[in-house]
Amino acid sequence: MIALLEWAPPERGRRRKAVTVKEESLLHLRLYRASLQRGPRTPEAILRRRVLTAGKRLRKLGVTQAVLPAGFPYVQELARCGLRAVSTLSLRRAMAADWVRWALEEKGRSPAGARVAVCAAQLTGEVVRTVTELSLRHRYVLLDLPYGGEELCRQLRREYGVSLLLGPSREQLEGADVLVLFDARTDLKNPAALALYDESQPLPPVSLPPAMEEALPPGADRGQMLAALREAGVLRPGQIALGGARA
């Protein structure tokens, strides 16, 4: 089970505990909701102490991951308790093909004629899925893999009749309209790179069905919340839309 940490403003005329933890359901996802009281003048030392208190309580309950408030500055305090933020890596990789389309639309480029490059250190299921989706959407797909690329190329040509450019040059990778990086590449410079390994890179605009949007907790890190819901099976394929609000 995961936790949801949130800041709670003090209520005038009412005394309440500085840290409360309760189990509840959010969109059918069972979690522990930890509310930490924070006012506009609450000293930093007290906030750190409250984060540590919440972290220790949650760890005793078996929690190791938490959805944090957006811009949460006390990650190290939680790490001391054995807690970490919910990872968004799987979410980022699942959205990679749609993210490429959104990035091209933002640049005013036609998806069909754009050059899209993919770099990965190994051939994983996520890489296969992304490259397959990109190949069906874009005419020019470049693939840089240390091994396994030949078989993938043969498979895509046999099943879908599409071709990849395997083993592109550095200049071709840097000149791609969008460069998808599954792993860090310090040797490449491309301003349109999607670093799927870097959780600090801002996600594109993401929207959910209206009923789900209304149920999301305000103030929570959006990427972490969506990643937790997807990992739990609450978010199904097709419910995440990139680019704007849904009807």
Side-chain angles (χ1 to χ4, degrees), residues 2 22 25 27 37 55 70 72 83 89 93 96-98 106 108-109 111-112 120 141 146 172 194 210 215 221 244 247:
I2 69 167
K22 61 180 180 179
S25 177
L27 290 170
Q37 192 172 136
F72 188 73
L83 270 71
L89 292 180
R93 291 165 182 167
D98 289 337
E106 287 293 294
R109 290 300 309 272
V141 178
Q172 288 174 314
L194 303 184
D221 183 285

Side-chain angles (χ1 to χ4, degrees), residues 80-144:
R80 289 168 54 187
C81 303
L83 270 71
R84 59 181 175 84
V86 169
S87 174
T88 63
L89 292 180
S90 180
L91 173 68
R92 292 168 183 272
R93 291 165 182 167
M95 297 193 309
D98 289 337
W99 196 345
V100 167
R101 186 202 67 233
W102 176 83
L104 289 171
E105 290 174 350
E106 287 293 294
K107 296 170 63 175
R109 290 300 309 272
S110 168
R115 291 183 178 270
V116 180
V118 178
C119 296
Q122 57 183 334
L123 187 61
T124 65
E126 292 171 325
V127 173
V128 171
R129 182 183 64 244
T130 299
V131 172
T132 301
E133 291 180 5
L134 291 174
S135 299
L136 295 175
R137 299 180 184 185
H138 307 284
R139 186 178 307 164
Y140 306 106
V141 178
L142 293 65
L143 178 59
D144 185 49

Side-chain angles (χ1 to χ4, degrees), residues 58-78:
L58 292 169
R59 192 64 191 89
K60 286 182 178 180
L61 292 169
V63 176
T64 58
Q65 299 182 74
V67 175
L68 307 179
F72 188 73
Y74 305 112
V75 176
Q76 292 302 318
E77 281 72 13
L78 288 181

Side-chain angles (χ1 to χ4, degrees), residues 145-159:
L145 272 174
Y147 58 87
E150 294 85 357
E151 177 57 32
L152 178 58
C153 288
R154 286 194 292 269
Q155 177 184 338
L156 292 176
R157 187 179 302 112
R158 181 174 61 251
E159 295 184 7

